[in-house]
Amino acid sequence: MFPFLANLIIATAALSGAGNEPGASSYLHAFQPGTDGVIATRPEVYVPQPGDLILFDDRNPTWIKLYHYVGSDMPDHSGIVIKLPDGRPAFLESAPDDGHLAGLYVRILHALPRLHQFKGTIYVRRLKVPLTPEQSDKLTEFAFAQEGKKYAIWRMLLQGTWFRCRSGWRAKYFAETDMNRNRWLCSEIVVAAGTAAGLFDPNIHKANRIYPRDLIYDDHYDLSQTWDEAWVWGPTPERPSCDPPKLDPWPELP
């Protein structure tokens, strides 16, 4: 009983110190096989830190089919944690609510309310080494410079054609990390923001050829030196009603 109470006290103090909603709780769950072969979870209090990667999966059948078509897979959306000027954590996302036209913009959203609001599974890859104050400032500066820009609807549609920069000669000649686009795809702005903070190498991690799936698994790009493996987010220490991240490789199309 005591470890649980201690964990609860730590969680309350940490989240209150981060300037989040009073009473809002936040946990990450690691899925581990037990001695009896049953998969168990190990919860840890989670306070979002600048540079953490946030992956969203709403299990939408349409998105599943579309990602399979272009040689990728779920999750279908991504964001990155930034630090607001007042010290609170927030997420930088392009089109956080793709079900409404009003959501098809780059937005900066307070972290805890966003986590609790999302209906689906959320995966988090925590940054292994905290950003320096200078790196965090660059990340925040980049985020505010992009806020309010539009989602790249037409380039999203091009992902279903041979004009996408996913692989082959198109990736060789047209893949890049543009740091000041007028319109952004969700994973594209995450990679560009991480590049501004020195987390991605623009010579290796070309933002316009990276999908959210590439940020959660390390088979296309090995991010394990910079980020921990993905854990599942949950509002309580109880086991979340979802599956752990499962690598189901989808080959890049020619």
Side-chain angles (χ1 to χ4, degrees):
M1 187 65 177
F2 178 77
F4 173 78
L5 290 175
N7 201 27
L8 184 61
I9 293 171
I10 293 172
T12 303
L15 293 175
S16 298
N20 289 294
E21 303 282 331
S25 58
S26 176
Y27 291 84
L28 291 183
H29 298 262
F31 286 76
Q32 302 171 326
T35 55
D36 55 0
V38 177
I39 299 297
T41 61
R42 175 167 60 87
E44 289 186 8
V45 173
Y46 176 58
V47 179
Q49 298 298 319
D52 289 354
L53 301 178
I54 313 296
L55 292 310
F56 300 85
D57 185 354
D58 61 7
R59 299 182 291 277
N60 185 309
T62 300
W63 280 113
I64 292 173
K65 291 178 181 178
L66 290 174
Y67 273 114
H68 287 185
Y69 177 77
V70 300
S72 190
D73 201 1
M74 303 298 270
D76 57 306
H77 182 64
S78 57
I80 189 169
V81 180
I82 70 167
K83 184 177 182 180
L84 297 175
D86 63 6
R88 289 181 294 174
F91 297 160
L92 172 65
E93 302 176 49
S94 183
D97 187 356
D98 61 14
H100 302 279
L101 290 179
L104 297 179
Y105 291 87
V106 174
R107 298 188 61 191
I108 296 174
L109 303 173
H110 292 299
L112 261 293
R114 171 63 168 148
L115 289 170
H116 282 265
Q117 166 270 333
F118 182 73
K119 305 301 181 183
T121 303
I122 300 174
Y123 303 102
V124 177
R125 293 194 72 169
R126 288 179 288 189
L127 197 63
K128 288 189 171 182
V129 179
L131 295 181
T132 66
E134 293 76 14
Q135 286 177 302
S136 182
D137 288 345
K138 288 180 179 179
L139 181 59
T140 301
E141 181 181 359
F142 174 86
F144 276 91
Q146 311 311 314
E147 186 182 22
K149 292 184 177 181
K150 294 182 179 180
Y151 180 69
I153 296 177
W154 295 114
R155 280 196 296 111
M156 184 273 288
L157 296 176
L158 286 178
Q159 301 307 303
T161 74
W162 294 111
F163 292 99
R164 62 180 176 273
C165 297
R166 181 67 171 166
S167 60
W169 64 268
R170 297 171 302 283
K172 181 177 180 180
Y173 292 105
F174 298 108
E176 63 176 352
T177 297
D178 187 333
M179 299 298 292
N180 191 30
R181 285 192 176 277
N182 293 321
R183 300 170 185 266
W184 291 98
L185 297 173
C186 70
S187 52
E188 187 178 57
I189 198 170
V190 168
V191 175
T195 301
L199 299 175
F200 289 102
D201 182 346
N203 295 314
I204 299 173
H205 310 108
K206 309 294 181 68
N208 65 345
R209 69 173 301 220
I210 293 177
Y211 294 160
R213 181 202 174 280
D214 303 321
L215 299 174
I216 192 172
Y217 303 117
D218 295 322
D219 52 346
H220 287 170
Y221 301 94
D222 187 359
L223 306 180
S224 63
Q225 297 300 310
T226 306
W227 286 275
D228 290 332
E229 65 181 31
W231 286 25
V232 177
W233 181 86
T236 72
E238 303 299 323
R239 174 174 175 157
S241 57
C242 65
D243 296 324
K246 179 182 178 182
L247 178 60
D248 189 9
W250 289 89
E252 292 186 355
L253 298 183

